[in-house]
Amino acid sequence: MSKRELGPYPGLSYAHMVSKDVHSSHVVRRFALYPIDIERPEKGRRVEALECGRCQKPVKFKVLSVAATRTRRWVWLVLGLVGVAVALGFGVAIFQVGGQVAEEGANPVGPLALGFLAGFLSGIVGLSYWWYEDGVRGPGSPLMSFGEHVLRWPSS
């Protein structure tokens, strides 16, 4: 269904930032990778803290059951497909109304363009979350900035 396989243990690693070197045009970060050894629960979710292999600080993770992860995948898939359908609908409406705008002088394309953009963005977000949903939540946000610990690290 999606890229990540589901099993009794998450197949992810978390990373501890070992060093951060700032150069003139870029930042070089080095990480140490550690596995997430938390067994998936039968139902619902399990919140557990692991001791970091590098700094011995507790790192908190939320691991969802296989059924809960599949449910989240379906929700993300439905959101993504609805977003794509909305974007297509508004896109068709823009083309239909586009010729009438020049004749009548009104400009209904603005709200239609916003609807298209909202559908397009929700489609992209929903489908990407569907593809990468693995049922694990943890520290760090690689989209914003790296913290001391970060999840969603490629397995090596």
Side-chain angles (χ1 to χ4, degrees):
M1 185 181 197
S2 78
K3 185 177 177 183
R4 299 192 186 263
E5 294 297 321
L6 297 177
Y9 287 90
L12 291 173
S13 296
Y14 71 94
H16 175 93
M17 186 166 32
V18 177
S19 68
K20 178 179 176 181
D21 299 323
V22 179
H23 298 285
S24 61
S25 63
H26 62 283
V27 177
V28 177
R29 296 175 178 96
R30 288 185 338 127
F31 293 92
L33 300 178
Y34 300 97
I36 300 172
D37 292 328
I38 301 174
E39 188 174 5
R40 289 188 188 273
E42 291 293 320
K43 285 183 166 183
R45 62 182 158 210
R46 172 179 288 157
V47 178
E48 198 170 314
L50 295 177
E51 186 177 281
C52 176
R54 181 96 178 171
C55 66
Q56 280 69 43
K57 291 181 183 176
V59 182
K60 191 174 175 182
F61 294 98
K62 183 191 317 181
V63 179
L64 300 175
S65 68
V66 172
T69 303
R70 286 189 178 131
T71 301
R72 281 195 184 210
R73 285 181 179 177
W74 278 108
V75 168
W76 287 121
L77 179 61
V78 168
L79 175 69
L81 294 178
V82 166
V84 168
V86 166
L88 287 174
F90 276 104
V92 168
I94 288 171
F95 281 114
Q96 288 178 346
V97 172
Q100 299 170 0
V101 171
E103 296 170 3
E104 298 173 8
N107 191 5
V109 175
L112 294 175
L114 287 176
F116 172 80
L117 184 62
F120 179 77
L121 289 177
S122 66
I124 294 294
V125 168
L127 291 176
S128 64
Y129 273 77
W130 163 73
W131 186 256
Y132 289 106
E133 180 64 59
D134 52 19
V136 180
R137 304 290 180 267
S141 173
L143 296 177
M144 302 302 273
S145 66
F146 287 108
E148 184 178 21
H149 297 100
V150 68
L151 187 58
R152 304 286 178 273
W153 198 261
S155 46
S156 28

